[in-house]
Amino acid sequence: MNIKRNILLNAGPSTTTDTVKMAQVVPDICPREKEFASMMKDLRADLLKTVHADPQQYTSVLFCGSGTLNIDVCLNSLLPADKKVLVVNNGAYSTRAVEICEYYGLPHINLQFPVLERPDLDVVRKTLEENPDIALVYTTHNETGTGILNPIREIGALAHEFGAVFIVDTTSTLAMRPIDVQKDNIDFCMASAQKGLMAMTGLSFIIGRKDIIEASKDYPKRSYYCNLYLQYHFFEKTGEMHFTPPVQTIYATIQALKEYFAEGEEAKWARHTRVFNAIHKGLDELGFKDAVKREWQAGLVVSPIYPDDPNWDFEKVHDYCYERGYTIYPGKISTTNTFRLCALGAIDEDDITAFFKVFREALEHYNIAIPVVYND
Ligand SMILES: *Cc1c(COP(=O)(O)O)cnc(C)c1O
């Protein structure tokens, strides 16, 4: 097997190992077989270990779909009648949670903060004080649109102080930046297999408190396919996913988890940090500015600002790099023109060094000044 190795610097799916790719090539199997259920049982247990969740207290529930499905499931399933969701929102991914609340007509407070800043915890506290009907507090760990790291441990502590359940979107940190559900005050977190785990698209999972899921049995039912209790209950009863699972992606995820535990939580985070630092070094050498304060960055996504150069054209630079095996990614900040370079995936420092050779070539090819120019 000789599979071309592309370096994906987008925010997921990420570059995978060949062994994970190959793990999908298996004999055909009906996922209702005991053999398959037993694989999923081990997979669910291993997922808990990635966030140090106690299996007595926490469970993991698998779904077929992309990561956004997890946000949908948590919000529509975990809100009791006559209660409210508080979304601590400083970016595109928390805004997605607000939109989900709007689609389901869930009572919610969209507590908005500037996208290039961290949420003000005093304002979060005040909102909780003034709204005793808040049952769910929701935020995003690493706002993938900007790369900002949110203070989840502190927000979780506030949620618990006011008797609310804390849900965190950890899609762009889980299995990369270490998470400990107990210490980080997390009741529910989530991810998809294609990001930190470096597996394939199509499998998403929620890790959360069993007692809260059990209690949600009697909450208003707002979705059928995306109900957390229904899926959890079916898993507990039969060991199977309620509806057809993404079979091949599950094989890939099992292999990816093996590789995750072999690399080790700390070593993997150290590798992502090396890649992140190499991205910064490369950008610094070319004169690029960051949209987000360096000390606030989660260590996984860098958002450089477009240079004020008449020759700058993101699409052209993208295509030049893409043709040579490197994928760079558009930004997601409405107020500033940025692009993104992410430290996800099975890549290391050397890949970033090689990328910056191609990136510099692209700038030269299109007569974009180096160092890049900014007007202010
Ligand atoms: C990738 C990502 C998601 C899921 O996005 P999909 O397009 O559904 O895969 C959700 N939240 C965050 C923070 C993410 O980075």
Side-chain angles (χ1 to χ4, degrees), residues 11 66-69 71 93 96 140 142-144 169-172 192 194-195:
S66 81
T68 303
L69 181 118
I71 311 177
Y93 288 89
R96 198 172 287 180
T140 307
N142 167 24
E143 249 304 342
T144 321
D169 177 354
T170 51
T171 313
S172 60
S192 53
Q194 43 126 338
K195 291 204 179 177

